[in-house]
Amino acid sequence: RVAYLGPAFSFTHLAALEKFGKTADLIPVNTIASVFEEVNRGHADYGIVPIENSTDGRIVDTLDMFTRLPLRICGELQMAIHHNLLSRSPRSEITEIYSKPQALSQCWDWLARNMPHAKTYDVTSTSTAAELARSKPGVGAIASAQAAVQYGLDLVAERIEDNAHNVTRFAIIGDQETKPTGRDRTALLLQIPHTPGSLSDALTAFKNNKINLTWIESFPLRGPESGYLFFLDFEGHSKDLNIRKALETLAKKAVRLEVLGSYPRSEAVE
């Protein structure tokens, strides 16, 4: 059982099909938080959520949930994302365009040039946008080509993303531990003292152990406490000797240190 951000034929659904196949029991839910909750409560064995996009960067809702629930990343999938304008109406009659905020953001330039008269509206998923376009004339949706088939819409314009190499990285969440493959990635949450030089000092653990740090994001701590929580990922597996040494060093400097998981790195698929 795999929970994903639905409805059917959202990009996360397509990623779930790519990763788990058509025989898996795929469970659509309405929010990224609900994906985490389904896995945390044992209602699903795995969840799949977007974590990073090559155009927009971090997916805030996903990273925030890792700070709230004790779930692990046990895999990833990188998938090329191609956006399309779908509707029952011709382009000249489309006055409203709906999609997920990230999808709209990834098409801003195209929309400004080609649809300056249309107003844009955020919805929870690209599939929800397609459902709206099916039900109301003059409405367009930015969604996948598969959603056009599923919801009986015309492909008004294809591949309208501003970045031709638009890729989203999806995280697989669950309890499964993966063995080292020699081509792995590890993710962790790190909180360090909120003092001058503490971040620079902590990051020397990666340099000294020759670890390639591939991503770092910061989040303000909740509540009255000052400081930040950092989300990092880097090349290597937590069982590798140099990674173990780096984690031991970080643990001595950290207020909070949680390894979210190690898993094989993926290549982008179309």
Side-chain angles (χ1 to χ4, degrees):
R1 290 172 62 83
V2 182
Y4 71 91
L5 178 63
F9 297 96
S10 64
F11 286 105
T12 309
H13 180 223
L14 299 178
L17 288 171
E18 176 70 30
K19 185 70 176 180
F20 294 98
K22 294 181 179 179
T23 59
D25 183 8
L26 302 180
I27 308 162
V29 295
N30 293 327
T31 64
I32 286 173
S34 296
V35 175
F36 278 79
E37 290 290 355
E38 287 293 295
V39 179
N40 190 53
R41 293 170 181 169
H43 297 166
D45 302 299
Y46 298 99
I48 182 166
V49 288
I51 192 170
E52 179 187 23
N53 177 264
S54 60
T55 301
D56 282 340
R58 67 184 184 179
I59 309 298
V60 174
D61 291 351
T62 296
L63 298 187
D64 181 61
M65 288 307 298
F66 280 118
T67 71
R68 295 174 181 268
L69 292 176
L71 294 175
R72 298 173 57 84
I73 304 176
C74 58
E76 71 170 18
L77 173 73
Q78 296 189 72
M79 190 170 76
I81 302 296
H82 299 300
H83 294 300
N84 307 275
L85 180 60
L86 316 180
S87 184
R88 292 171 52 202
S89 304
R91 185 190 297 188
S92 61
E93 296 178 12
I94 296 174
T95 58
E96 299 177 358
I97 297 175
Y98 293 81
S99 199
K100 191 176 178 183
Q102 291 85 351
L104 291 169
S105 174
Q106 291 160 27
C107 304
W108 277 137
D109 288 346
W110 188 93
L111 290 170
R113 291 195 313 270
N114 296 280
M115 303 293 294
H117 60 284
K119 294 183 178 180
T120 58
Y121 298 91
D122 296 349
V123 290
T124 55
S125 78
T126 55
S127 291
T128 299
E131 290 178 336
L132 288 169
R134 178 177 61 180
S135 63
K136 186 179 176 183
V139 168
I142 295 176
S144 66
Q146 293 90 331
V149 176
Q150 175 71 12
Y151 296 104
L153 298 168
D154 296 327
L155 278 167
V156 177
E158 299 181 58
R159 298 200 173 196
I160 65 172
E161 62 276 3
D162 299 326
N163 177 5
H165 304 287
N166 189 35
V167 173
T168 293
R169 182 157 65 103
F170 295 87
I172 313 303
I173 56 175
D175 292 328
Q176 179 183 348
E177 290 193 16
T178 61
K179 296 179 180 179
T181 65
R183 185 174 170 76
D184 301 296
R185 192 194 307 268
T186 296
L188 61 80
L189 289 175
L190 174 67
Q191 181 188 346
I192 49 179
H194 191 47
T195 56
S198 60
L199 177 60
S200 176
D201 187 36
L203 294 181
T204 60
F206 295 96
K207 179 180 179 180
N208 293 342
N209 289 283
K210 296 181 170 57
I211 297 167
N212 187 22
L213 181 64
T214 53
W215 195 28
I216 181 168
E217 296 284 353
S218 63
F219 295 86
L221 294 173
R222 296 189 189 90
E225 186 179 2
S226 297
Y228 292 85
L229 186 64
F230 296 93
F231 180 98
L232 304 92
D233 71 16
F234 46 89
E235 293 178 359
H237 195 283
S238 58
K239 294 186 183 299
D240 296 343
L241 180 59
N242 64 327
I243 303 297
R244 295 206 313 267
K245 288 181 177 179
L247 293 176
E248 289 171 2
T249 300
L250 282 174
K252 296 173 184 177
K253 305 173 186 291
V255 175
R256 176 183 178 185
L257 176 65
E258 296 177 22
V259 177
L260 296 177
S262 296
Y263 45 91
R265 283 180 281 153
S266 69
E267 300 293 337
V269 296
E270 284 287 338

